[in-house]
């Protein structure tokens, strides 16, 4: 039995119940032990009147029938008096059987007395059979005496069983009266032997010896019994034995003892009979009177025992009740105080301390004394525990305050570093954009593309610090943006952008206030997909409207995740937990969870059919709009003009069916492809130059590509030398690839003048700043509008973030 895990109330209850139960059991035992003797004393009257008196009557009748039976056996004829005596004996036996068969007597007897009463009843059942033997003279005088003496002996054994009183004096007196009854029975046996000898005229063989033995036993029993009587009763018996009948009877007994064993008894039959009957009657009356007196004395004694029992029982019951009340009161007090300490501890751990931390994180001021009031539970050990716990509360609350203050300071440090990094990254992107516009060397332009891509990723990581600090990134849009452009912008911010396949993305738009966060969220998921999948596999992005919004699915073919890891990751994504520096390996999931919680976006990871992981992003319906049209925004504000400017920097049209390959698919072997940053309408920072185009172009969904300006600076060209070309095969391949790309570029563009007198090349089907569509026949160089000197591809621009003023506008 493990008691250490019991509640405190159960332990206190067990502590109280055990001694109280033991005390109650002891009280019940003492009460029962005392109540039993009282009941025995009260039942003595029942035993006397239901067993003693009827049994004594049966004994007297059996003694008389025995004498007459011996006289009949000693003579030659039947005695009419014997028949009458047998009827009186039968009536006495019937009355005894009726009394001993009652429930009242059986309830007052114990097991020993029950057995002896049953033995007496069984012995009396042999009486009819013995009478038959006597009438048929199949038994002699000694056998007849033995038959009746056995029945009478069973009666005296029952009488001795009645002498079982709890009071020693009463019990000794009852045993003395029983012994007097036995001595009277021996006197009856002497009378029966002498009556047979007087009738027969002589003693039979052995009768004299039996007579002498009976006289000796009778005298010995009388002396023993009288010695146990009380003084008053002993004196009364002595006065009784000094009478004339007792004197004559004793003298005749002495004569019989000295008589000849084979001759006639030397006593007169009439004198013997008169003396014997008188002595028997006097002894019987004395015994009955003593039995009545004994019963009368037992009742007051039983009453006194019951009074003492009642007093002891009441006092014991009061002691038990007081013990129970004290135990219950003390136990309830201890349980209440300990429960109070427990409740205070649980309230601090489960409610107050988390509320303090929450309030501190909201920036509220917290009073430690008010949040950790002292616990008053007295001056004993429990009170000391309460005071110790009060100190623990204060320490815990103060630690929470210090921790939140430290976390807030750390977040401010993160935010300060992130804001500085963002400023430098934005300036770097602007500088790269100017350098790309003024660079004509394909090799330098390709390197600038790589630097531009790294700067774009660096900007996203700087935004991660802002999100870790609990703030919002600086990028923002006022108008909705197409879902496809969001996916392109997200793929352009990952390292392995060339492994991302944009499959079927159904037309839809996202509100401008959520564009930056959704791009960042998708970029984190795409980067995870590329990082945890083999480099020779593809990452597929699909999107379609659903009942509750718009669902984007990013699927990789990596090693996948276990069920436990998926469950833990989904729990982290759904709950948006606080940032834990100890779990920096899961930083991407934390950023995704923060961004998703900010706009109510649901992100779920699940196993992919291809063996990897699919990330399902559910954008809520309140953030989803219809897909915005291509072209500049009609609003003349600064932020809208900047958004229109970035929308004109695409390189690929929006595909609606099939698979869209990343921007690397449009690069040539000679010039490395620009990352999908060039395809994103959110990464540009500088204004591109575009001219109105023919609105009848077939490619209405295309995005224009910016073309480098022609600079007035003329670079010196090396002199042409006739002879073998010292270029390496790689350099020749790069030049030819650039030439091929420029030729393809020129066939798909037109040349248009700009207001400052310069010309730019615009892709066919692009939207010019005035809203016109550029067609091939609008070029100044002929019907096909081809540029005689194709230029290398223009680097993509990075998205330009809105300032705080433009966001608020």
């Amino acid at each position: 039995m493990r008691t250490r895990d019991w509640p405190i109330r159960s332990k206190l209850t067990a502590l109280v119940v055990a001694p109280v139960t033991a005390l109650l059991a002891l009280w019940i035992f003492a009460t029962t032990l005392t109540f039993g003797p009282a009941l025995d004393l009260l039942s003595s009257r029942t035993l006397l009147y239901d067993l003693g008196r009827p049994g004594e009557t049966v004994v007297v009748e059996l003694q008389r029938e025995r004498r007459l039976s011996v006289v009949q056996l000693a003579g030659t004829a039947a005695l009419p008096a014997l028949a009458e005596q047998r009827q009186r004996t039968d009536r006495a036996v019937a009355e005894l059987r009726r009394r001993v068969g009652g429930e009242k007597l059986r309830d007052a007897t114990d097991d020993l007395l029950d057995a002896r009463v049953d033995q007496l009843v069984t012995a009396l059942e042999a009486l009819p059979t013995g009478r038959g033997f006597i009438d048929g003279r199949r038994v002699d005088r000694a056998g007849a005496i033995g038959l009746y003496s056995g029945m009478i002996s069973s009666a005296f054994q029952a009488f001795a069983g009645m002498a079982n009183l709890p009071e020693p004096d009463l019990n000794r007196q009852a045993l003395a009266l029983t012994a007097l009854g036995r001595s009277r029975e021996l006197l009856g046996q002497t009378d029966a032997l002498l009556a047979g000898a007087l009738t027969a005229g002589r003693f039979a063989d052995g009768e004299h010896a039996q007579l002498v033995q009976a006289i000796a036993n009778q005298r010995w029993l009388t002396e023993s019994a009288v010695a146990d009587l009380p003084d008053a009763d002993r004196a009364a018996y002595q006065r009784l034995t000094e009478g004339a009948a007792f004197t004559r009877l004793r003298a005749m007994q002495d004569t019989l003892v000295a008589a000849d064993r084979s001759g006639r008894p030397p006593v007169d039959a009439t004198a013997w009979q008169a003396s014997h009957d008188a002595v028997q009657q006097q002894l019987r009356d004395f015994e009955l009177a003593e039995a009545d007196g004994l019963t009368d004395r037992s009742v007051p004694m039983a009453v006194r025992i019951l009074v003492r029992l009642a007093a002891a029982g009441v006092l014991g019951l009061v002691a038990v009740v007081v013990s129970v009340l004290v135990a219950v009161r003390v136990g309830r007090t201890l349980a209440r105080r300990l429960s109070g300490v427990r409740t205070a501890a649980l309230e601090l751990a489960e409610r107050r301390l988390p509320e303090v931390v929450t309030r501190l994180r909201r920036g509220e001021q917290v009073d430690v004394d008010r949040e950790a009031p002292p616990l008053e539970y007295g001056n004993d050990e429990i009170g000391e525990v309460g005071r110790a716990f009060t100190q623990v509360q204060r320490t815990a609350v103060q630690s929470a305050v210090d921790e939140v203050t430290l976390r807030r300071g750390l977040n401010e440090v993160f935010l300060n570093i992130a804001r500085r990094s963002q400023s430098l990254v934005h300036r770097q992107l602007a500088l790269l954009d100017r350098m790309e516009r003024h660079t004509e060397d394909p090799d330098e332009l390709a390197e600038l593309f790589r630097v531009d891509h790294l700067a774009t990723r660096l900007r996203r990581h700087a935004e991660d610090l802002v999100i870790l600090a609990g703030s919002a990134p600086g990028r923002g849009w006022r108008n909705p943006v197409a879902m496809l452009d969001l996916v392109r912008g997200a793929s352009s911010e990952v390292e392995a952008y060339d492994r991302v396949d944009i499959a079927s993305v159904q037309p839809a738009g996202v509100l401008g206030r959520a564009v930056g966060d959704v791009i960042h969220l998708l970029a984190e998921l795409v980067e995870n997909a590329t990082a945890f999948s083999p480099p020779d596999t593809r990452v597929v992005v699909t999107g379609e409207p659903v009942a509750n919004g718009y669902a984007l699915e990013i699927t990789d073919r990596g090693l996948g995740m276990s069920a436990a890891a998926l469950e833990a990751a989904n729990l982290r994504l759904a709950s948006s937990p606080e940032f834990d520096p100890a779990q920096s390996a899961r930083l991407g999931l934390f950023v995704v969870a923060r961004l998703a919680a900010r706009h109510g976006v649901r992100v779920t990871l699940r196993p992919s059919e291809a063996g990897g992981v699919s990330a399902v992003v559910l954008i809520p319906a309140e953030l989803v709009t219809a897909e915005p049209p291509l072209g500049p925004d009609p609003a003349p504000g600064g932020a809208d003009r900047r958004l229109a400017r970035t929308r004109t920097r695409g390189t690929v049209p929006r595909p609606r069916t099939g698979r869209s390959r990343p921007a690397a698919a449009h690069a040539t072997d000679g010039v490395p492809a620009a990352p999908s940053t060039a395809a994103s309408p959110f990464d540009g920072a500088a204004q591109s130059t575009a001219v109105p185009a023919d609105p009848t172009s077939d490619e209405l969904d295309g995005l224009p590509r910016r073309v480098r300006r022609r600079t007035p600076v003329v670079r010196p060209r090396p002199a042409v030398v006739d002879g073998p070309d010292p270029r390496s095969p790689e350099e020749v391949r790069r030049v030819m690839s650039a030439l091929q790309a420029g030729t393809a570029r020129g066939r798909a563009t037109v040349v248009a003048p700009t207001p400052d007198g310069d010309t730019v090349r615009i892709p066919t089907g692009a939207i010019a700043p005035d809203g016109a569509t550029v067609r091939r026949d609008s070029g100044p160089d002929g019907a096909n509008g081809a540029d005689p000197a194709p230029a290398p591809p223009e680097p993509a621009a990075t998205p330009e973030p809105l300032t705080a003023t433009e966001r608020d506008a």
Side-chain angles (χ1 to χ4, degrees):
M1 183 171 59
R2 297 177 56 87
T3 58
R4 60 178 302 175
D5 297 332
W6 288 8
I8 188 64
R9 290 186 181 274
S10 300
K11 292 180 180 179
L12 292 176
T13 302
L15 188 64
V16 170
V17 167
V20 169
T21 303
L23 182 61
L24 184 61
L26 183 62
W27 174 76
I28 294 174
F29 175 75
T31 303
T32 304
L33 195 64
T34 308
F35 191 66
L39 291 179
D40 292 339
L41 289 174
L42 291 177
S43 64
S44 62
R45 181 177 292 273
T46 302
L47 295 177
L48 175 62
Y49 288 103
D50 288 348
L51 179 60
R53 290 293 177 86
E56 195 273 338
T57 302
V58 170
V59 169
V60 171
E61 299 299 333
L62 287 175
Q63 288 174 348
R64 293 172 180 174
E65 184 178 345
R66 176 180 59 188
R67 184 178 185 278
L68 293 175
S69 297
V70 171
V71 171
Q72 179 176 318
L73 290 175
T76 58
L79 296 178
L82 179 59
E84 296 177 359
Q85 180 60 42
R86 287 178 176 178
Q87 292 178 359
R88 289 192 294 269
T89 303
D90 291 339
R91 287 194 295 269
V93 170
E95 179 64 19
L96 176 63
R97 287 178 175 174
R98 186 183 67 83
R99 292 294 184 92
V100 299
E103 293 183 358
K104 186 177 181 180
L105 177 63
R106 292 294 183 176
D107 292 338
T109 58
D110 54 8
D111 295 339
L112 177 62
L113 186 56
D114 280 339
R116 291 185 178 183
V117 170
D118 293 338
Q119 183 180 358
L120 173 61
V121 173
T122 304
L124 292 175
E125 292 178 354
L127 184 59
T129 303
R131 289 172 178 174
F133 285 116
I134 293 173
D135 293 340
R137 296 184 179 272
R138 294 192 297 272
V139 64
D140 58 0
R141 297 196 302 268
I145 292 174
L147 173 66
Y148 287 98
S149 297
M151 298 179 189
I152 295 173
S153 178
S154 298
F156 277 104
Q157 288 180 1
F159 296 158
M162 293 169 55
N164 190 22
L165 300 177
E167 184 64 29
D169 294 338
L170 296 179
N171 192 57
R172 184 169 58 253
Q173 185 178 356
L175 291 175
L177 292 177
T178 303
L180 286 176
R182 285 181 179 273
S183 68
R184 186 164 55 88
E185 158 59 14
L186 291 174
L187 182 60
Q189 291 181 13
T190 303
D191 177 61
L193 288 172
L194 185 59
L198 291 173
T199 302
R202 58 181 297 274
F203 287 108
D205 294 339
E207 284 186 347
H208 185 269
Q210 188 177 0
L211 184 143
V212 173
Q213 184 179 2
I215 293 173
N217 290 336
Q218 181 260 331
R219 292 179 178 181
W220 179 83
L221 282 176
T222 301
E223 292 178 1
S224 300
V226 171
D228 291 334
L229 290 176
D231 295 338
D233 297 336
R234 186 184 312 114
Y237 186 81
Q238 291 294 337
R239 288 192 300 270
L240 180 66
T241 58
E242 291 176 356
F246 278 90
T247 303
R248 288 194 300 270
L249 183 64
R250 181 178 292 273
M252 287 185 286
Q253 287 179 343
D254 294 339
T255 302
L256 290 173
V257 170
D260 186 8
R261 297 181 179 180
S262 60
R264 181 180 176 82
V267 296
D268 182 60
T270 303
W272 170 265
Q273 188 65 38
S275 298
H276 174 268
D277 291 343
V279 170
Q280 281 280 5
Q281 187 63 39
Q282 291 178 11
L283 289 176
R284 182 185 180 193
D285 293 339
F286 179 80
E287 292 173 9
L288 293 176
E290 289 296 322
D292 290 339
L294 181 64
T295 304
D296 293 339
R297 288 196 302 272
S298 66
V299 173
M301 189 173 294
V303 172
R304 288 195 300 271
I305 293 176
L306 290 177
V307 171
R308 291 198 301 268
L309 174 64
V314 170
L315 292 178
L317 183 61
V318 170
V320 171
V321 171
V322 170
S323 300
V324 171
L325 291 178
V326 171
V328 169
R329 182 178 179 84
V330 174
R332 291 180 62 183
T333 302
L334 290 176
R336 183 174 62 253
R337 296 172 65 191
L338 292 175
S339 298
V341 175
R342 171 182 174 273
T343 303
L346 293 178
E347 183 180 5
L348 175 67
E350 297 177 358
R351 187 181 63 84
R352 292 171 57 188
L353 192 58
E355 287 182 357
V356 169
V357 174
T358 303
R359 290 167 54 194
L360 289 172
R361 289 175 179 173
R362 290 199 302 262
E364 300 180 11
Q365 296 295 329
V366 174
D367 185 5
V368 177
D369 295 332
R370 180 174 176 272
E371 297 299 332
L375 301 178
E376 298 295 340
Y377 290 97
N379 297 322
D380 57 355
E381 289 80 0
I382 298 179
E384 293 177 359
V385 172
R387 288 189 292 273
F389 186 74
T390 299
Q391 188 63 31
V392 171
Q393 287 188 90
R394 296 177 61 86
T395 304
V397 174
Q398 186 62 46
S399 299
V401 172
D402 297 341
E403 179 183 355
V404 173
T405 303
L406 178 62
R407 186 184 294 270
R408 186 182 302 160
L410 184 62
N411 289 342
E412 291 177 357
V413 171
F414 284 169
L415 188 60
N416 189 10
I417 296 174
R419 293 303 186 193
R420 293 183 182 183
S421 300
Q422 276 188 313
S423 177
L424 294 177
V425 169
H426 287 316
R427 292 170 59 186
Q428 181 182 5
L429 289 173
L431 179 60
L432 288 172
D433 188 65
R434 291 194 299 272
M435 292 175 65
E436 290 169 1
R437 288 202 304 268
H438 294 83
T439 301
E440 294 182 355
D441 188 356
D443 295 336
E444 294 180 1
L445 187 60
E447 296 299 329
L448 289 176
F449 283 165
R450 295 190 181 94
V451 175
D452 186 284
H453 179 59
L454 293 176
T456 302
R457 294 175 57 204
L458 182 61
R459 178 183 61 189
R460 179 166 59 86
H461 294 314
E463 291 179 353
D464 288 344
L465 289 178
V466 176
I467 296 171
L468 291 178
S471 183
R475 289 190 295 171
W477 281 261
R478 180 180 303 170
N479 297 323
V481 177
M483 194 68 67
L484 180 61
D485 295 336
L486 261 74
V487 176
R488 290 174 176 171
S491 63
S492 68
E493 295 189 4
V494 300
E495 180 178 5
Y497 61 88
D498 55 342
R499 292 174 49 204
V500 180
D501 290 342
I502 304 174
S504 176
V505 178
Q506 299 298 323
V510 177
L511 294 180
R513 60 183 173 88
V515 168
D517 291 341
V518 174
I519 291 177
H520 196 147
L521 185 150
L522 294 176
E524 293 290 346
L525 295 175
V526 171
E527 186 171 42
N528 281 345
T530 58
F532 292 99
S533 60
D536 57 344
T537 59
R538 311 295 298 176
V539 176
V540 180
V541 182
T542 60
E544 61 180 353
V546 293
N548 298 326
Y550 195 93
L552 289 168
E553 184 173 4
I554 303 169
T555 305
D556 62 64
R557 298 176 179 270
L559 299 177
M561 300 172 65
S562 63
L566 281 176
E567 183 179 359
N570 286 325
L571 181 62
R572 183 185 299 273
L573 291 172
S575 60
S576 182
E578 292 293 331
F579 171 61
D580 186 3
Q583 297 182 356
S584 58
R586 302 289 182 177
L587 189 59
L589 290 179
F590 172 79
V591 173
V592 170
R594 276 288 182 88
L595 295 175
R598 185 176 299 167
H599 298 285
V601 178
R602 285 172 29 186
V603 181
T604 306
L605 303 181
R606 62 187 184 186
S608 173
E609 296 179 357
V613 176
S614 293
V616 180
V617 180
L618 179 60
I619 303 175
E622 56 267 19
L623 298 180
V624 180
T625 62
E627 183 177 69
L630 291 174
D633 293 300
D640 295 322
R641 285 196 301 271
R642 183 177 290 105
L643 183 58
R645 207 164 50 235
T646 59
R647 283 188 175 179
T648 61
R649 298 181 190 150
T651 59
V652 291
R654 298 175 184 170
R656 299 305 174 197
T657 60
R659 174 177 295 183
S660 174
R661 296 300 299 273
H666 298 275
T668 62
D669 295 335
V671 181
S676 54
T677 308
S680 172
F682 318 110
D683 294 343
Q687 181 180 2
S688 64
T689 306
V691 296
D694 188 0
T696 63
S697 173
D698 295 334
E699 299 179 359
L700 297 177
D701 198 22
L703 298 175
R705 178 185 292 276
R706 186 181 62 214
V707 183
R708 297 191 306 274
R709 294 173 180 267
R710 294 183 181 274
T711 60
V713 181
V714 179
R715 297 184 181 181
R717 298 179 179 272
V720 179
V721 181
D722 296 335
D725 192 354
R727 296 180 180 178
S728 63
E730 291 77 9
E731 185 178 0
V732 173
R733 182 177 59 81
R734 185 172 61 253
V735 172
M736 294 304 296
S737 298
L739 179 60
Q740 182 180 4
T743 303
R745 174 75 177 168
R747 292 176 179 176
T749 58
V750 296
V751 180
T754 60
D756 55 1
D758 202 351
T759 60
V760 295
R761 299 179 182 272
I762 301 178
T764 304
I767 305 300
D770 58 356
T773 302
V774 180
R775 298 183 59 85
R776 293 186 61 191
D777 56 358
S778 61
D781 295 333
N784 55 1
D787 188 6
E794 178 68 8
T798 56
E800 179 179 2
L802 295 181
T803 63
T805 303
E806 292 171 339
R807 285 199 309 272
D808 297 338

